[in-house]
């Protein structure tokens, strides 16, 4: 309940700031352009290609969404008032995270218009299952990225630093698979297992495997847990 | 209502608060007085469950700030230093937000917001963005936030800093009205504030409590010497005559005085009333005595004395 109160205020602040409008407008603009590029080359296009592009571009927008979450409250010192309310630190972290995931969900839902278009063009021949799993994969990956963003926002009071560190980590997780490609055996496995692309690919192919779901949920949990510990340390006071 | 026992807080190697103990009775206003960096905010942050002490205990309404933190939080209203508020929100939105966090239902919130807005006189700005309000209004919005849920204890960290004299007077009268129903701790480094608003003062310096008492008692007990103001008319310099009086320890001209004759401040040992001796010495010395009155030691002087004595000791022990 208190989690929702905190998330509600955060979401409102995102729309007032007005990061939310800018992010939504840019994301929809870019995805529209990419949709046009893909469909102008291959028609009817595979939704899977489009899902990969959606994944790439949320990497750029999530740092902008999550950067203010805790950092801005640290900078303006409103965090002191928030943590002295009868509210647990994990409720604050979860509320902040939920607000950012809410905005991310809006971004994803907005792109579903292209799914509808595809249905019209293919006259119902489109296989919906891979599209659904792709969206689930996007949401799960986004949840992890936002958790990373919230953590970065908890360790600094500078939003720009929070955004840059977030971007570095999530881009790293996205590309770390390439390191594995050159290696062999053990290290290849490790790099692959850590990378988000490896796990996301399966969702985009229409495969729903608990192992991949667990990867994203566990990652999310780890970063949210570290955020709570950072907040609890009060080293920012 | 508030019990603090041997509280110590260390930041790394630095002891910001050292072995602090005091208590506040229900309905009382305690002034927490100290120079910059004395440890006021640190102590208040422990009381508000912002952070735990390194050692020692503190409890509010019988609940320990570490073990029963949620119980404590729901019983206090806190106004942090510099009044941090969300600038993009309106006072009404802000009060609803904190009301919701504190589990107040809608009807409750609507009624209480009306009430506290009237109490701190912010009714006319309830729907303006907080970022656009004057400092005085923001301070009062902060106070409204602190009293919204009718807390038993109010903790206010420098509530009048940065306000103009009229706003200071208004804020003080609001705080005074709050006492009785609420127990209040208010930190400040402004002395007149304490004697105007508070029933009791705790003076803290370099992390240690140096005195806890009512302003009047503090003045009485701290007067180590009596001071007498005299105004004298005469041809020659009366300083010699004055220093010769039994029990007098120092004589200084009062430079601020103006008017007829010369004014002096005479310090003498505490206890015995030196006035009869001073009067007769002046008259016997052939001077005209124009004025003679005892000077009370001000809280300001006590504060300076308490906080500088401490420094002298530190220097000596180093
Ligand atoms: N988070 C922190 N880390 C390290 N030192 C700190 C921290 N917070 C406060 N201090 C130090 O502890 C001492 C007491 O600080 P505190 O803020 O409690 O003083 P104060 O009495 O509130 O002063 P002021 O009147 O300036 O507000 C100061 O020397 C300060 O530098
Ligand atoms: Mg302070």
């Amino acid at each position: 309940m208190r989690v929702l109160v905190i998330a509600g205020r955060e979401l409102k602040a995102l729309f007032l700031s007005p990061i939310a409008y800018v992010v939504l407008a840019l994301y929809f603009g870019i995805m529209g352009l990419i949709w046009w590029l893909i469909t102008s080359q291959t028609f009817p296009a595979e939704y899977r290609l489009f899902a990969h592009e959606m994944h790439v571009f949320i990497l750029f927008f999530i740092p902008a969404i999550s950067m203010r979450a805790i950092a801005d409250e640290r900078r303006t010192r409103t965090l002191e008032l928030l943590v002295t309310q009868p509210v647990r630190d994990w409720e604050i972290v979860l509320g902040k995270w939920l607000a950012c995931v809410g905005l991310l969900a809006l971004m994803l839902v907005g792109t579903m218009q292209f799914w509808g278009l595809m249905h019209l063009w293919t006259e119902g021949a489109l296989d919906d299952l891979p599209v659904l799993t792709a969206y689930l994969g996007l949401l799960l990956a986004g949840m992890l990225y936002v958790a990373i963003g919230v953590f970065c926002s908890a360790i600094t009071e500078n939003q720009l630093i929070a955004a840059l560190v977030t971007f570095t980590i999530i881009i790293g997780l996205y590309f770390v698979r390439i390191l594995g490609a050159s290696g062999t055996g053990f290290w290849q496995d490790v790099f692959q297992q850590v990378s988000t692309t490896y796990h996301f690919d399966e969702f985009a192919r229409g495969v729903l495997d608990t192992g991949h779901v667990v990867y994203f949920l566990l990652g999310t949990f780890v970063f949210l847990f570290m955020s709570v510990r950072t907040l609890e340390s009060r080293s920012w006071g | 209502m508030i019990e603090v026992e041997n509280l110590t807080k260390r930041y790394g190697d630095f002891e910001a608060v050292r072995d602090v103990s005091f208590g506040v009775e229900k309905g009382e206003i305690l002034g927490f007085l100290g120079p910059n960096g004395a440890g006021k905010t640190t102590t208040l942050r422990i009381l508000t469950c912002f952070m735990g002490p390194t050692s020692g205990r503190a409890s509010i309404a019988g609940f320990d700030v570490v073990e029963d933190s949620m119980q404590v939080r729901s019983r206090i209203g806190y106004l942090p230093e510099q009044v941090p508020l969300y600038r993009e929100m309106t006072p009404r939105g802000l009060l609803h937000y904190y009301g919701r966090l504190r589990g107040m239902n809608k009807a409750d919130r609507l009624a209480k917001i009306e009430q506290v807005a009237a109490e701190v006189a912010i009714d006319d700005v309830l729907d303006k963005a907080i970022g656009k309000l004057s400092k005085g209004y923001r301070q009062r919005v902060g106070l409204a936030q602190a009293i919204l849920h009718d807390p038993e204890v109010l903790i206010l960290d420098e509530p009048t800093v940065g306000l103009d004299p009229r706003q200071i007077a208004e804020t003080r009268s609001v705080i005074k009205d709050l006492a009785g129903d609420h127990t209040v701790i208010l930190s400040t480094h402004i002395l007149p504030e304490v004697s105007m608003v508070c029933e009791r003062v705790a003076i803290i310096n370099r992390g240690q409590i140096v005195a806890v008492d009512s302003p009047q008692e503090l003045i009485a007990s701290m007067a180590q010497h009596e001071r007498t103001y005299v105004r004298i008319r005469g041809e020659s310099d009366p300083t010699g005559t004055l220093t010769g009086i039994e029990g007098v320890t120092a004589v200084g001209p009062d430079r601020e005085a103006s008017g007829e004759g010369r004014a002096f401040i005479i310090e003498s040992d505490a206890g015995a009333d030196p006035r009869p001796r001073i009067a007769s010495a002046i008259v016997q010395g052939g001077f005209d005595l124009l004025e003679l009155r005892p000077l009370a030691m001000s809280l300001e002087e006590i504060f300076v004395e308490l906080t500088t004595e401490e420094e002298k000791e530190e220097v000596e022990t180093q």
Side-chain angles (χ1 to χ4, degrees):
Chain A
M1 182 51 215
R2 289 183 297 230
V3 172
L4 293 181
V5 175
I6 292 168
R9 200 211 70 83
E10 184 68 19
L11 207 53
K12 248 187 233 161
L14 278 168
F15 276 97
L16 280 173
S17 58
I19 290 177
Y21 292 113
V22 174
V23 162
L24 287 174
L26 282 177
Y27 190 69
F28 293 152
I30 290 170
M31 291 331 292
L33 192 67
I34 285 175
W35 173 258
W36 177 75
L37 283 174
I38 292 177
T39 50
S40 65
Q41 280 170 11
T42 49
F43 185 86
E46 269 189 273
Y47 211 79
R48 184 176 151 197
L49 281 179
F50 188 61
H52 274 290
E53 299 303 331
M54 277 197 272
H55 185 195
V56 171
F57 281 95
I58 60 171
L59 296 180
F60 291 90
F61 288 101
I62 280 176
I65 295 174
S66 63
M67 64 182 184
R68 62 185 304 289
I70 294 172
D72 201 43
E73 291 222 28
R74 271 179 67 164
R75 186 180 59 81
T76 60
R77 312 212 148 266
T78 48
L79 194 53
E80 179 168 353
L81 201 47
L82 184 54
V83 299
T84 52
Q85 301 294 309
V87 172
R88 308 263 178 206
D89 288 349
W90 66 262
E91 293 175 311
I92 296 172
V93 167
L94 207 59
K96 296 280 178 182
W97 175 81
L98 201 62
C100 299
V101 170
L103 183 53
L104 172 79
L106 276 182
M107 288 164 65
L108 296 180
V109 167
T111 62
M112 285 181 176
Q113 56 181 305
F114 302 112
W115 183 10
L117 273 181
M118 186 81 100
H119 258 290
L120 288 180
W121 290 351
T122 56
E123 285 159 357
L126 178 69
D127 185 1
D128 281 329
L129 185 73
V131 180
L132 278 172
T133 55
Y135 271 112
L136 180 66
L138 282 168
L139 184 66
L140 284 167
M143 280 160 55
L144 170 60
Y145 298 146
V146 169
I148 294 170
V150 169
F151 171 67
C152 294
S153 183
I155 56 174
T156 173
E157 58 174 53
N158 185 319
Q159 293 187 45
L160 189 64
I161 291 176
L164 288 175
V165 176
T166 307
F167 187 65
T168 309
I169 298 177
I170 63 184
I171 273 281
L173 285 176
Y174 187 89
F175 284 115
V176 70
R177 194 181 181 185
I178 295 171
L179 286 177
S182 57
T184 47
F186 176 71
W187 285 110
Q188 183 170 16
D189 269 1
V190 169
F191 288 133
Q192 206 162 53
Q193 289 299 328
V194 169
S195 90
T196 50
T197 28
Y198 167 72
H199 298 279
F200 177 73
D201 269 355
E202 301 291 305
F203 285 98
R205 285 200 299 128
V207 178
L208 197 55
D209 181 289
T210 40
H212 302 303
V213 175
V214 166
Y215 163 82
F216 287 117
L217 291 183
L218 195 66
T220 303
F221 176 79
V222 167
F223 279 97
L224 289 183
F225 181 76
M226 291 200 295
S227 311
V228 175
R229 294 317 294 259
T230 309
L231 199 60
E232 274 172 357
S233 76
R234 299 287 191 266
S235 51
W236 43 268
Chain B
M1 184 54 81
I2 303 173
E3 295 293 336
V4 176
E5 283 167 44
N6 311 107
L7 212 61
T8 295
K9 178 71 191 182
R10 223 172 274 134
Y11 295 112
D13 284 340
F14 177 72
E15 246 176 4
V17 167
R18 197 187 321 161
D19 205 23
V20 161
S21 304
F22 63 90
V24 188
E25 295 299 317
K26 192 169 162 53
E28 194 175 47
I29 308 189
L30 176 86
F32 207 45
L33 184 65
N36 289 118
K40 302 183 293 290
T41 300
T42 303
T43 309
L44 298 187
R45 280 177 160 184
I46 293 169
L47 288 177
T48 54
C49 310
F50 174 82
M51 58 189 178
T54 308
S55 66
R57 293 162 29 86
S59 67
I60 286 180
F63 294 99
D64 187 275
V65 294
V66 176
E67 270 137 44
D68 300 310
S69 150
M70 286 295 149
Q71 293 289 344
V72 170
R73 290 158 188 236
S74 60
R75 282 171 174 77
I76 59 175
Y78 180 32
L79 180 64
E81 210 168 14
Q82 291 157 14
V83 199
L85 301 172
Y86 300 104
R87 299 177 65 86
E88 78 279 4
M89 292 178 95
T90 62
R92 194 191 299 280
L94 187 94
L95 294 175
H96 272 292
Y97 174 60
Y98 287 113
R100 274 200 201 101
L101 280 183
R102 289 186 174 278
M104 295 165 69
N105 64 36
K106 185 154 189 199
D108 225 16
R109 292 199 306 269
L110 288 172
K112 286 300 286 182
I113 288 172
E114 285 298 309
Q115 187 197 323
V116 299
E119 231 169 302
V120 302
I122 52 166
D123 340 42
D124 48 335
V125 296
L126 270 179
D127 297 305
K128 277 191 184 169
I130 290 171
K132 293 198 175 114
L133 297 182
S134 73
K135 187 112 206 288
Y137 269 116
R138 254 180 298 173
Q139 206 96 7
R140 282 186 265 165
V141 173
L143 264 180
Q145 166 276 131
I147 60 176
L148 182 70
H149 51 290
D150 232 332
E152 290 169 52
V153 172
L154 266 178
I155 297 180
L156 313 172
D157 198 352
E158 307 212 11
T160 58
V161 143
L163 300 182
D164 68 35
R166 197 186 46 115
Q167 293 169 332
I168 289 179
E170 284 170 4
T171 309
R172 281 182 192 152
S173 78
V174 169
I175 294 169
K176 262 186 138 163
D177 291 343
L178 290 173
D181 298 339
H182 311 266
T183 306
V184 183
I185 292 196
L186 124 126
S187 88
T188 179
H189 54 248
I190 311 166
L191 287 138
E193 185 149 287
V194 166
S195 34
M196 267 180 247
V197 183
C198 307
E199 289 140 25
R200 250 158 34 96
V201 198
I203 299 182
I204 183 170
N205 188 43
R206 295 176 169 232
Q208 284 180 301
I209 297 275
V210 287
V212 189
D213 221 325
S214 72
Q216 297 77 16
E217 286 296 310
L218 213 53
I219 290 166
S221 68
M222 272 306 295
Q224 290 165 342
H225 37 247
E226 305 219 10
R227 300 194 312 158
T228 312
Y229 174 92
V230 292
R231 186 190 289 277
I232 298 167
R233 185 168 54 198
E235 304 282 289
S236 54
D237 187 1
T239 314
T241 312
L242 295 175
T243 38
I245 302 168
E246 188 198 333
V248 167
T249 52
V251 174
D254 183 3
R255 288 189 190 81
E256 281 157 38
S258 59
E260 208 184 347
R262 274 179 286 187
F264 296 89
I265 290 171
I266 301 171
E267 289 189 9
S268 54
D269 296 330
D273 185 354
R275 280 176 293 176
R277 271 171 284 138
I278 294 174
S280 63
I282 290 172
V283 175
Q284 278 164 22
F287 300 99
D288 296 334
L289 178 57
L290 301 179
E291 195 182 345
L292 184 150
R293 64 185 150 88
L295 286 177
M297 200 173 178
S298 71
L299 198 56
E300 183 137 19
E301 289 164 300
I302 291 170
F303 178 65
V304 170
E305 190 138 310
L306 280 172
T307 52
T308 46
E309 251 173 31
E310 187 79 0
E311 265 161 42
K312 271 186 240 151
E313 269 171 35
E314 297 263 325
V315 173
E316 277 160 21
T317 52
Q318 269 165 12

